[in-house]
Amino acid sequence: MTIAIGERLGPYQVGGSLGSGGMGEVYRARDTKLNRDVALKVLPDAFTADPDRLARFKREAQVLALLNHPNIAAIYGLQDTAEPHALVMELVEGPTLADRIAQGPIPLDEALAIARQIAEALAAAHDRGVIHRDLKPANIKVRADGTVKVLDFGLAKALEAGPAGRASDAFLSVSPTLASPAMTGIGLILGTAAYMSPEQARGKPADRRSDVWSFGCVLYEMLTGRQVFDPGETVSDAVAAILTREPEWSALPSHTPDRVRLLLRRCLQKDPHKRLRDIGDAGLEIDESVTETTSTATPRALREPPRSIWRQAVATILVAFAASALVGAAVWRLKPAPTPAVTRFALTLPAGQRYTTTNRQIVAMSPDGSLLAYVANNALHVKSMAELEARTIHAISGGIANPTFSPDSRAIAFWSLSDRTIRRVAVTGGAPVAVTSTVDFVFFGMSWDVSGILWGEGAHGIMRITPEGGTPEKLASVKEGELAHGPQILPGGRALLFTLGNGSATDRWDKAQIVVQSLTSGKRKTIIQGGSDARYLASGHLVYAISGTLFAAPFDVNRLEISGSPTPVLEGVRRSLGGVTGSAQFSVSDTGSLLYVPGPSTMSAANDLGAIDRTGSVQRLKFPPASYEHPRVSPDGKRIAFGTDDGKEAIVWVYDLDGATAMRRLTFGGRNRFPIWSADGTHVAFQSDRDGDLAIFWQPADGAGGAERLTRPDAGTTHVPECWSPKGDALAYDVNAGGGVSLWTSSPVEKKARRVDGVQSVALTNAVFSPDGKWLAWTTSDVGGAGILVQPFPSTGARYQITSERGIYPLWSHDGRTLFFTPPGELHSVTITTQPNFVIGIPASLPRGFLVNGTGTPRTYDLLPDGRFIGVIDPAMTSQAGLESLQVLVLNWFTELKQRVPTR
């Protein structure tokens, strides 16, 4: 509301306007009763129209009126007897600090004198429990005699609503000065966004440490003549800068004392827990800096308004000091700056620990470089760089993957495989908190930044959620047949980086696209063709993986494109086993530390086939290491069929277990995978793309005949063989229609397909008949996280849940009395009684010893006649050599990276 000059407001006669802001119009006025000049701040109409707000404001104004300090502009009273309502305040003559800074940087002695008085004002208010919340140069005045006055103290708090306030009112309690539209519910932050603390920018409550941050911004601006962070064109730009960028410390004058530099760094820590806790300490640091700079200056000169004689004396001393400093700096610059030494360490896991899985991310570095995390023995472990031993933070029987540190390095998010939730836990330990509810999707990488926790859902795109939980937000969608992996919000918060893989392509991740997508327009472009698991680093590089090699290229975050040719920078990084996801096992801190797990140079990792007894002891078959998968034992127990897939060829092989002959190639032409034996052992069925679709074929196991088609998929579907019935009259196979998987049976004689009632999943069913053919065990991924079900065959509608924890890969014992299955990272057995009633025993844990890929592939193990298992063995799981090269930590890796791949 505008008031005319000469108009009276109670005893106050209005003079000229002094300015306006989000909290109202300010006028010079004459107090006709006390015969003095005052400032009237006329409150917005939207504020005064709310009785609850006005009552709360009166209470807060009474508290503020208790502040009695020479560096705080006093509140004299509240004029509420007539419209409009107004605050009566001390009139402070002179320019604002913003006006003074507009003329250029303030000399060091003046800046420190002003800062000292600001700190004393803040300390006095904090002692009374009052927080400014909107400290900025425009709210600070410097009188002609040098006295500093801090204005509008605590008004942001005074203007917030009470407990019954609206959503927009709650925003007032954490935000600085707001424009009047915010008072009506729009909630727009205007010119003071550049001085907000990171916690205010995130919408969290402000406390005295928020004032410490703003004090640091003001001191920096006085010394440099510019704001700490470029406010940009919009409020979003300013907020993004506060949350993601670091101050340009080189902008400080060269003669700035070390204590002042350190003080600024402590004030401008983004993590409030690491920030200077007491503003009173800032005043002490300023005193000490002056004492160290000049032996003749006295701290009292900073506690009192400076006089011209003191200015002249201090200026003379500082000129002499600056001159000597410049001479010293010139000499020092002749010497090259020391280059941080690149240091490598080989870290081994403690005795008895080994990685749980390599299908998803298993290692992480904290952003500040002080911690590393890894997943072993179904548990999350954290090691501090300052400690010798790692600590177990959380263990869970179902398994853990994708450890991801919070931006402040104080918490870790992880993917819980047992209940398919994202959880977070403090790095110091404690009970994990669920961030998401149980969901059914395949997990493809995760990151955590100031905007929230992001993850890939493969065919479902990229999602984001706040660390506190809530409703997930979809950031990017993908087309049918595409898989999204490894999301990261790029600096500035405007674009999303992730990998886009082809779900059916050979070497899907080595042939994937690395893309960026605008979060405003949704426009997407490819920046790397061929590669995956890209990360943007604080060094200005984009790093990504092809097979087991890391490549790096300079990346322009403004233009969203690489600015140089990609260069290989590290070889021998372990990848996701078999290329299940696009994960490369490496992590880089913002401080330049690299952590990675050594491994094979290709994604189709070389491994062994072996027999594993019930104690976990392994006897390897005498095969050369290769990319073995999905072994199946013949009905007579004398042979095995298995596959190899090196990314170029997928072949089915047959081997006599007596070792009398070498392994024999069975299939030729096309990619042939997932072998199963016919009931009589004369044929091997498998999936093949030899005719352009993914159908099921079979051929004689002795190689005496060619392949014959058994199924013909409809357009857009694929078939995966699962098992034969013991009588040989039914081939059970999965039909994957993209949106779900169903189980069907087909008879080679009748050549008629039938759907099995009640079997439906979002991934492969891994169905298997009991030895008598009367029961069918299968894996589900859509029944509240329960993984293994058993039902009669043919179906009667009955169904039995075998485990309350998630499990995959069911397998019957030869006598049908035991069912084996694999919760993530484990192997369990449970007794099954079918007559006279169906009874389920208590699951028992067994040593596993073989690899498990996940729900997206067929069972990875089988049972030999002597009761041993046969499966794929990762050499690193049992060889000491593999354990010794568990992790490699590289300190100051950015030094090496910048030498090999210079940025512009």
Side-chain angles (χ1 to χ4, degrees), residues 804-833:
S804 59
E805 295 181 343
R806 192 155 193 85
I808 57 175
Y809 297 157
L811 177 63
W812 296 91
S813 63
H814 293 115
D815 59 10
R817 296 176 181 176
T818 303
L819 190 69
F820 303 98
F821 59 96
T822 59
E826 299 186 32
L827 173 64
H828 285 183
S829 66
V830 62
T831 58
I832 301 291
T833 302

Side-chain angles (χ1 to χ4, degrees), residues 50-369:
D50 187 335
D52 291 337
R53 259 182 165 179
L54 189 56
R56 179 174 175 81
F57 180 85
K58 290 179 180 179
R59 291 193 299 271
E60 294 294 341
Q62 291 169 358
V63 174
L64 299 177
L66 296 176
L67 296 179
N68 184 15
H69 192 274
N71 296 123
I72 298 177
I75 294 180
Y76 293 152
L78 176 64
Q79 175 61 33
D80 61 351
T81 58
E83 295 291 345
H85 297 298
L87 271 176
V88 184
M89 306 175 67
E90 177 185 0
L91 177 64
V92 182
E93 303 284 0
T96 68
L97 188 55
D99 297 330
R100 177 64 181 84
I101 294 174
Q103 300 173 16
I106 299 176
L108 179 64
D109 62 322
E110 290 188 51
L112 294 182
I114 293 170
R116 185 64 175 85
Q117 295 180 70
I118 296 172
E120 287 197 351
L122 291 172
H126 290 177
D127 288 343
R128 302 300 295 267
V130 179
I131 306 166
H132 194 290
R133 300 168 186 256
D134 192 18
L135 186 69
K136 59 184 177 181
N139 277 341
I140 301 168
K141 283 200 170 189
V142 183
R143 294 194 323 203
D145 64 357
T147 301
V148 171
K149 289 284 188 177
V150 181
L151 313 178
D152 283 358
F153 224 110
L155 291 188
K157 175 67 175 178
L159 283 172
E160 73 173 286
R166 298 178 295 275
S168 59
D169 299 331
F171 186 72
L172 289 168
S173 68
V174 298
S175 299
T177 301
L178 305 173
S180 55
M183 313 296 286
T184 59
I186 298 177
L188 297 176
I189 310 172
L190 292 187
T192 60
Y195 304 91
M196 279 197 303
S197 64
E199 57 269 26
Q200 285 176 288
R202 294 188 182 101
K204 295 182 178 180
D207 59 19
R208 62 178 60 189
R209 292 171 298 182
S210 300
D211 282 353
V212 170
W213 170 279
S214 301
F215 170 83
C217 292
V218 172
L219 177 55
Y220 180 101
E221 190 169 343
M222 284 195 290
L223 294 174
T224 63
R226 65 193 227 186
Q227 293 180 345
V228 181
F229 302 104
D230 184 356
E233 297 180 358
T234 67
V235 171
S236 297
D237 292 336
V239 171
I242 291 169
L243 295 178
T244 62
R245 299 176 192 167
E246 288 297 319
E248 188 175 341
W249 300 114
S250 60
L252 291 170
S254 60
H255 58 277
T256 304
D258 288 343
R259 279 187 176 272
V260 175
R261 292 178 183 271
L262 180 60
L263 172 62
L264 283 169
R265 288 181 180 272
R266 294 180 65 192
C267 289
L268 295 176
Q269 285 284 340
K270 296 187 187 299
D271 182 354
H273 297 90
K274 299 178 181 179
R275 198 177 302 152
L276 186 73
R277 292 183 177 273
D278 194 337
I279 193 64
D281 291 340
L284 296 177
E285 291 295 326
I286 292 173
D287 286 345
E288 292 293 334
S289 70
V290 173
T291 301
E292 293 177 0
T293 302
T294 168
S295 60
T296 60
T298 171
R300 182 173 178 81
L302 293 173
R303 290 198 295 268
E304 295 180 349
R307 303 295 190 263
S308 58
I309 185 171
W310 278 110
R311 291 186 181 182
Q312 182 177 355
V314 173
T316 301
I317 294 169
L318 289 176
V319 167
F321 176 84
S324 63
L326 288 173
V327 172
V331 173
W332 179 252
R333 288 193 183 96
L334 296 177
K335 302 179 181 179
T339 300
V342 180
T343 309
R344 286 173 166 80
F345 299 92
L347 306 178
T348 60
L349 288 182
Q353 284 189 8
R354 63 186 181 188
Y355 286 135
T356 300
T357 177
T358 55
N359 291 330
R360 296 180 175 89
Q361 197 73 24
I362 53 175
V363 295
M365 281 293 299
S366 63
D368 64 6

Side-chain angles (χ1 to χ4, degrees), residues 731-749:
L731 164 67
Y733 62 96
D734 284 338
V735 176
N736 189 338
V741 176
S742 55
L743 185 68
W744 293 66
T745 60
S746 177
S747 168
V749 177

